[in-house]
Amino acid sequence: MHKVFYSLWFLGVYIGNGEVMHLSGAEFNIKAKETAKVHRVTFKEFVGDDDNAEVECIPCPSDVSREEVVRLAKSAEGGFFRNRPYDLFTNNCEHFARWCHGEARSKQVDNAVWWGTVGAAAVGGALLLGSLLSSDKEDKRKNKY
């Protein structure tokens, strides 16, 4: 499950009995990397008081049982995820939630990298085109005189 806060997703794993396992700093403080561990919180604590938060439940992949997802989530409780401190790009709450479902990755990071690459390619292409057009104008001026 995840809750959407503006354009960010905060992902956690619902383990039953109104509880969610998630990777976060104390009180969801994303800047508190040194305290970012896997926590067990109530569903209400996970969702918070944000009236604009959307909660979406993502089904388990067909090749991973619900019991296995819950077992993995609980096995990480109280410690650093993958024995490493929180890192926005390589070890965040989405990595944790998706690891419990079979693959530690972050689609948000993947999308940011993809769009960053597209943006860099567009800027590079525009600079190259501008350089070529500028050089073509210069050549025409030289040939004119």
Side-chain angles (χ1 to χ4, degrees):
M1 89 173 47
H2 70 267
K3 68 178 183 176
V4 179
F5 181 71
Y6 301 104
S7 61
L8 298 174
W9 295 354
F10 296 99
L11 281 87
V13 177
Y14 184 78
I15 59 172
N17 297 322
E19 294 181 315
V20 175
M21 300 294 294
H22 71 108
L23 174 64
S24 175
E27 299 176 5
F28 290 94
N29 184 349
I30 196 166
K31 294 179 182 176
K33 292 180 182 182
E34 63 280 353
T35 64
K37 296 185 178 177
V38 178
H39 300 276
R40 181 188 302 233
V41 295
T42 66
F43 182 77
K44 176 67 177 152
E45 288 171 316
F46 182 75
V47 174
D49 295 327
D50 183 358
D51 293 335
N52 295 319
E54 298 174 26
V55 176
E56 178 181 336
C57 292
I58 301 169
C60 294
S62 59
D63 58 337
V64 180
S65 71
R66 176 79 188 130
E67 292 77 19
E68 179 65 5
V69 170
V70 171
R71 186 192 70 72
L72 286 170
K74 288 180 177 180
S75 75
E77 184 175 7
F80 287 120
F81 173 53
R82 298 192 287 189
N83 296 316
R84 298 191 327 230
Y86 178 92
D87 182 271
L88 181 62
F89 297 103
T90 63
N91 206 46
N92 66 37
C93 66
E94 186 174 3
H95 289 101
F96 167 70
R98 293 193 187 280
W99 171 78
C100 294
H101 288 83
E103 183 181 17
R105 65 181 283 216
S106 172
K107 290 182 179 182
Q108 293 177 96
V109 171
D110 292 349
N111 287 341
V113 168
W114 189 86
W115 282 109
T117 302
V118 167
V123 169
L127 290 173
L128 179 61
L129 182 61
S131 173
L132 290 173
L133 291 175
S134 174
S135 131
D136 188 46
K137 284 182 183 178
E138 185 64 31
D139 287 346
K140 286 181 182 178
R141 249 184 277 160
K142 284 181 183 176
N143 290 335
K144 191 175 182 181
Y145 298 106

